[in-house]
Amino acid sequence: MKHIRNFCIIAHIDHGKSTLADRLLDFTGSVTEREKQNQLLDSMDLERERGITIKSHAIQMEYTFEGQDYILNLIDTPGHVDFSYEVSRSIAACEGALLIVDAAQSIQAQTISNLYLALENDLEIIPVLNKVDLPSANPEEVTDDIVDLLGCDPEEVIHASGKTGFGVDNILEAVIKRIPHPTGIYDEPLQALIFDSVYNPFRGVETYFRVMNGSIKKGQRIKFVATGNEYNADEVGTLKLKQFPRKEIKTGDVGYLITGIKDAREVKVGDTITDAKTPTTNPIGGFEDVKPMVFAGIYPVDTEDYEELRNSMEKLQLNDASLVFVPESSAALGFGFRCGFLGMLHMEIIQERLEREFNMTVITTVPNVSYHAFKRKDVNEAIIVNNPSDLPDPSSLDRVEEPYIKATIITKADFVGNVMSLCIEKRGLITNQTYLTTERVELTFDMPLAEIVFDFYDRLKTVSKGYASFDYSPIGMRTSKLVRVDILLNGQIVDALSSLIHVDNATTIGKKMCEKLKELIPRQQFDIPIQAAIGAKIISRETTKALRKDVTAKCYGGDISRKRKLLEKQKKGKKRMRQVGNVEIPQEAFMAVLKLN
Ligand code: GDP
Ligand code: MG
């Protein structure tokens, strides 16, 4: 145990975490030439393309320092706020963290939020000033910022470059010298923390764990505390780029477990693994069931693909337990699913995976948060509303509550005014303003989560000319004056376009929605009135004018085989369009409310 170090790398997105991890693997000889590929830890294609780490992974390195062999377990953490619970569990599996700060960008919102998570778990922090090779690097100033933030000595900040490999030896030395070795008692009942799991279609779910006390042996009968399920430890081992089966993984070490589990939902990050016969009396704290934050409908473009979509979603759920869905039907779109996601990025990922891995073409409706509606006749019982069109009749309601977040924004002093106006427009209440340096300010707001879902990131980027970083955490439900804004096309309510909006903004947003939809809905042979309504009251109206010339007329009545060919061609290209009544609605229209500015 004395020669094991468990550590993670935390950083704001793009500060170079994955690149530096690659350099550590190179330097310790943990990868062969053939295995060398940029950003080795980001194994999903999607992760690599987007340059983000979606799921955390672990990798074991061997390193000899001053004549002594060490085992260094690097636990990679996802960088995006949607996956912050996984970050917190990965951090809980470590004794230390490399805090990477880009020498040109300095401290950003996720630098701070991740640092807090690490400090809450009593991790030893090793600050790394990365990208010192950049011409735009500002090493002195950024070192000062780090020193201010951590209260450390400037000498403790390691200068490095993931690009050139500079400083990597110093990082490894610091990992060995500064990070405490794990502690724990081998003779105690098994107590291991699940910090990640990966779905493998052939071998079942692979569970990644860190042993806190005791050990886990091949063949052992084990139990997951939170789910209560028991399994046989068919295989345990250590994780390098490949898996190395072992007889036993001991106290302090990190490994993988295979039990033949076929459904990712059985393995919950944060759960404790223990022995089935002599279970620990002390499960590891901090376990939470991850809750979806954002909901949207997913519908097949072709109604006849519904069953296929269901199959695909079920398969996807086997390897992504954070995806939840229930069947729903929409008057406009027919049969589909109401899906819950961890956040907007997660939603995009699911949509993309459905298309890439399952060849589905889907329509995604306006995302919304989960509301709690309370009826006057029972003011204490929350009715969960995951779809705006399920909101009970407003006249029967006592109140509606919506989820709030604490938003943290770091920006330059010059943009404080802009950022504040934006956050206030988004119903934010400022709770704190701190000058980190004379140039850089940290602002915190209490804000409705729904406002983050609606075009917040893009707006923030614009008003700050890109010099703002953002992070958030949920702070519970609050009562808000919300009304449902419905959209009518050709006089018909399109339920999939309804949204819950604060009463003060409803008219403005209804108007903008109509304008946006007018741009997005293709012109047809007839006028299409576009209306926004609150209850029976129309608050706005636009019209998509009829085409002047009937260009599709030549298809009709004419050569029937030509018409069929055209139709087939269209089907092949599977445009993301849905026919609602006699109006064709393109996918973008369902997202229009997100892009009103
Ligand atoms: P992550 O989001 O923290 O994992 O960041 P990445 O490792 O994906 O790096 C983000 C971008 O910065 C990529 O384009 C890298 O090539 C680049 N990058 C990373 N480290 C360095 C470095 O030390 N120097 C320079 N010049 N670029 C770097
Ligand atoms: Mg990365």
Side-chain angles (χ1 to χ4, degrees):
M1 230 184 328
K2 279 217 164 63
H3 304 118
I4 297 177
R5 298 292 181 274
N6 298 314
F7 70 106
C8 56
I9 307 182
I10 53 181
H12 189 73
I13 192 149
D14 282 345
H15 282 200
K17 198 175 59 148
S18 301
T19 310
L20 200 71
D22 288 351
R23 290 296 85 71
L24 291 173
L25 297 184
D26 283 348
F27 199 86
T28 54
S30 305
V31 277
T32 60
E33 271 311 313
R34 201 169 51 84
E35 292 165 332
K36 269 188 196 161
Q37 210 175 10
N38 282 341
Q39 309 209 342
L40 282 162
L41 294 184
D42 297 346
S43 58
M44 240 154 74
D45 276 356
L46 209 61
E47 292 187 8
R48 204 164 286 163
E49 272 171 37
R50 288 173 172 246
I52 49 165
T53 308
I54 297 165
K55 295 283 288 179
S56 40
H57 304 276
I59 195 154
Q60 188 168 84
M61 299 175 273
E62 285 161 24
Y63 187 58
T64 307
F65 179 72
E66 294 176 347
Q68 175 65 52
D69 293 340
Y70 289 89
I71 298 282
L72 310 179
N73 291 311
L74 167 58
I75 295 172
D76 198 24
T77 55
H80 195 274
V81 56
D82 285 7
F83 306 99
S84 58
Y85 178 67
E86 289 185 10
V87 180
S88 85
R89 295 304 84 198
S90 303
I91 283 175
C94 299
E95 277 79 26
L98 299 175
L99 179 72
I100 310 286
V101 180
D102 184 317
Q105 303 287 322
S106 194
I107 292 154
Q108 298 294 342
Q110 284 150 32
T111 317
I112 295 192
S113 55
N114 285 323
L115 172 66
Y116 287 162
L117 281 177
L119 291 174
E120 276 167 28
N121 286 280
D122 292 324
L123 262 52
E124 177 69 30
I125 308 293
I126 300 174
V128 177
L129 181 78
N130 191 33
K131 306 198 190 180
V132 292
D133 63 286
L134 280 178
S136 56
N138 230 330
E140 291 81 23
E141 229 173 83
V142 178
T143 302
D144 285 348
D145 292 353
I146 297 172
V147 167
D148 281 349
L149 179 69
L150 296 178
C152 62
D153 287 332
E155 298 76 58
E156 289 174 46
V157 180
I158 300 173
H159 291 219
S161 163
K163 191 174 179 192
T164 66
F166 173 79
V168 169
D169 49 345
N170 293 334
I171 293 175
L172 288 165
E173 178 175 346
V175 166
I176 287 167
K177 286 191 170 164
R178 294 196 220 163
I179 296 177
H181 62 75
T183 54
I185 301 168
Y186 179 72
D187 292 325
E188 289 214 340
L190 169 62
Q191 188 205 38
L193 170 68
I194 299 177
F195 62 84
D196 197 11
S197 69
V198 169
Y199 180 81
N200 180 324
F202 306 106
R203 313 185 70 195
V205 179
E206 298 165 2
T207 304
Y208 296 172
F209 61 84
R210 149 78 197 270
V211 183
M212 299 305 198
N213 287 295
S215 80
I216 181 163
K217 297 183 186 71
K218 180 180 161 68
Q220 186 175 353
R221 191 74 189 158
I222 51 159
K223 182 176 164 181
F224 289 1
V225 174
T227 62
N229 292 337
E230 290 187 13
Y231 307 95
N232 242 14
D234 295 337
E235 182 177 320
V236 295
T238 52
L239 293 148
K240 310 228 168 141
L241 278 187
K242 293 199 201 81
Q243 296 172 333
F244 288 85
R246 296 269 188 271
K247 289 210 175 69
E248 182 181 29
I249 306 290
K250 294 183 183 170
T251 317
D253 213 346
V254 171
Y256 71 90
L257 162 73
I258 290 173
T259 57
I261 295 173
K262 292 289 181 208
D263 184 342
R265 283 172 293 181
E266 287 181 43
V267 182
K268 295 188 185 286
V269 167
D271 198 354
T272 302
I273 310 174
T274 192
D275 185 72
K277 278 193 232 93
T278 19
T280 175
T281 50
N282 186 20
I284 298 154
F287 173 75
E288 275 172 41
D289 254 322
V290 283
K291 278 197 279 316
M293 303 288 277
V294 172
F295 295 81
I298 292 191
Y299 289 82
V301 163
D302 285 335
T303 43
E304 66 222 48
D305 291 341
Y306 174 74
E307 279 306 323
E308 203 183 328
L309 178 60
R310 177 204 294 281
N311 282 333
S312 309
M313 304 259 294
E314 279 168 358
K315 281 193 191 127
L316 205 50
Q317 195 175 45
L318 287 180
N319 69 54
D320 183 348
S322 45
L323 167 68
V324 296
F325 63 90
V326 290
E328 76 170 3
S329 63
S330 149
L333 296 175
F335 291 105
F337 300 95
R338 174 88 352 197
C339 306
F341 310 97
L342 297 176
M344 294 296 281
L345 176 68
H346 187 217
M347 175 174 130
E348 278 176 45
I349 290 167
I350 295 292
Q351 187 178 349
E352 226 168 297
R353 291 188 65 188
L354 278 171
E355 306 210 329
R356 282 187 196 207
E357 295 167 35
F358 298 94
N359 227 342
M360 299 297 308
T361 313
V362 296
I363 294 276
T364 315
T365 66
V366 187
N368 57 265
V369 299
S370 180
Y371 300 93
H372 290 180
F374 296 82
K375 287 204 167 173
R376 241 184 257 126
K377 65 174 165 58
D378 192 353
V379 294
N380 294 319
E381 188 173 311
I383 301 165
I384 314 283
V385 179
N386 290 338
N387 180 346
S389 55
D390 294 342
L391 188 75
D393 176 6
S395 65
S396 70
L397 290 179
D398 176 62
R399 66 186 189 281
V400 179
E401 294 181 353
E402 64 176 329
Y404 262 68
I405 54 160
K406 177 186 165 195
T408 306
I409 296 165
I410 296 181
T411 188
K412 287 194 169 173
D414 300 352
F415 302 117
V416 167
N418 288 354
V419 170
M420 283 216 202
S421 328
L422 172 65
C423 291
I424 290 164
E425 181 196 322
K426 297 289 188 180
R427 299 191 280 139
L429 292 171
I430 186 152
T431 53
N432 199 15
Q433 175 178 8
T434 311
Y435 276 78
L436 300 171
T437 66
T438 52
E439 279 280 282
R440 295 153 48 73
V441 188
E442 181 188 35
L443 301 167
T444 57
F445 295 87
D446 288 356
M447 268 171 109
L449 174 65
E451 298 289 347
I452 306 301
V453 173
F454 286 13
D455 85 338
F456 183 76
Y457 292 94
D458 289 348
R459 296 277 310 278
L460 181 64
K461 213 166 159 184
T462 312
V463 302
S464 66
K465 302 209 161 80
Y467 288 107
S469 59
F470 171 71
D471 202 15
Y472 70 81
S473 56
I475 52 171
M477 305 294 290
R478 293 188 186 176
T479 302
S480 291
K481 287 211 164 70
L482 299 165
V483 291
R484 190 174 75 219
V485 176
D486 292 322
I487 299 293
L488 293 82
L489 295 181
N490 223 3
Q492 226 187 354
I493 288 190
V494 179
D495 55 0
L497 289 172
S498 297
S499 46
L500 293 192
I501 311 267
H502 191 268
V503 67
D504 294 347
N505 303 334
T507 312
T508 323
I509 291 191
K511 188 166 185 303
K512 285 186 181 169
M513 274 287 282
C514 291
E515 288 164 6
K516 192 78 191 177
L517 287 169
K518 184 184 170 188
E519 274 171 41
L520 292 172
I521 291 176
R523 295 167 71 182
Q524 277 162 254
Q525 285 99 306
F526 46 89
D527 281 2
I528 306 169
I530 302 170
Q531 295 161 300
I534 299 173
K537 191 176 155 221
I538 302 293
I539 54 172
S540 181
R541 179 192 164 119
E542 295 283 336
T543 305
T544 296
K545 284 282 178 202
L547 287 166
R548 236 172 278 139
K549 218 158 116 206
D550 194 355
V551 291
T552 52
K554 53 177 171 276
C555 291
Y556 294 90
D559 180 353
I560 196 79
S561 73
R562 181 156 152 242
K563 182 182 163 196
R564 190 173 299 131
K565 248 188 212 156
L566 255 164
L567 284 176
E568 253 154 29
K569 210 164 151 197
Q570 189 181 2
K571 205 173 169 202
K572 234 180 173 176
K574 268 202 188 172
K575 270 193 287 174
R576 291 220 247 157
M577 279 279 200
R578 269 305 283 270
Q579 185 89 23
V580 175
N582 49 2
V583 182
E584 284 214 309
I585 311 180
Q587 163 73 68
E588 305 82 67
F590 293 100
M591 294 293 163
V593 68
L594 303 183
K595 303 226 152 58
L596 292 181
N597 285 282

